[in-house]
Amino acid sequence: MAQYAKLAEMLEFPPDIAQPNVFPLGWQSHTAKMEEIWDAARREDWDPKKLPWATFKPETYSWEAREAIAYWWTILSVFDASAPPVFAAALIKTYEAHEEDPVRRCFFSVTRDEQNHEQTCGLAITRLLEHPDPLTYRPRTELGRKLQRNAKWLYYNGGRYWNGYKQAVPKYSLAVLFSSFLMGEIAAATIFHQMAAGCREPVFKEAFRNIGRDEGRHMAICLTLMERDYPKLHAEDAAVITKQIRAGYVFLSAVLSEPPADFWDLPKDFIAVQREAEAVARAAGFHIPDYEAKKQNWRNAMLNLKGVLDRYAIPFPAIPEIGISGQEVREVEMADIIPVF
Ligand SMILES: [Fe+2]
Ligand SMILES: [Fe+2]
């Protein structure tokens, strides 16, 4: 057995532990709003397995429609299946940073919620395709074959940002991380409310309603933290946030609008194939907003976000794609992307 000097034999009290240390031993609480959001998360808890799946009869749809609807859930999964580990990493950071107790719990609730969203994607896809993953599934139709190729490219691109994210988490303050989280949450809350309103199938309607409500809470968490921290934000953090918003726009456009060429490495016919699938899904009663409606949504979400950042005098990036002028952000580098959904 190794010999080592016991500090307790030499010192009355132990030395300080080097920071950041993984956990605080204390339950400080200064932000009352955060406690309210946590209570709401407990109240609004739901179980994806208990959605009315029994009312859903995939066999009443054509295989083309099933593959088209499963494709939409697959796009969503590219974002939602990465969200549990993304928020789990952020949760660890709240402990390392010795965040207030209700803030730690709120990040735990987001991790929990995102796993529900991911599970819901899986339940929908498995029923639609009679197979538990869209990448090894054997397509039944020509459209299905083209969609699977799209799905493979989406997955490849989605996977590319993980290393960037892991490097970004320790590098940036929580205040910077919140801005990119907020971006995803605003976007998500918008789309799910629309999907819930327009969708014919009861099980999807209820799923979208629940997911949309969760995303609204996530948005409130980010806004509350921004209110707390942004009045004392450092100038260099503000500059990172501006770049971050541009990067988030590019990344999240794949689910909220159409993937821009900036970051997304995709085959030439990708968008045409996706549009074809959306038309099939829409005709089958699965409401996906059309291109113009998506663009309008995305613009509104960005203007909301701009409203928040303006309050703290953080420059907004130019997003000419949706007619928003602002500060030019030239390079969108992988290392700058911390998007979540
Ligand atoms: Fe989500
Ligand atoms: Fe979320």
Side-chain angles (χ1 to χ4, degrees), residues 80 83 87 110 113-114 117 184-185 188 214-215 218-219 340-341:
D80 263 344
F87 278 102
V110 177
D113 293 339
E114 293 303 340
H117 305 173
E185 307 302 358
D214 293 346
E215 302 300 355
H218 303 171
M219 205 167 116
V340 265
F341 205 44

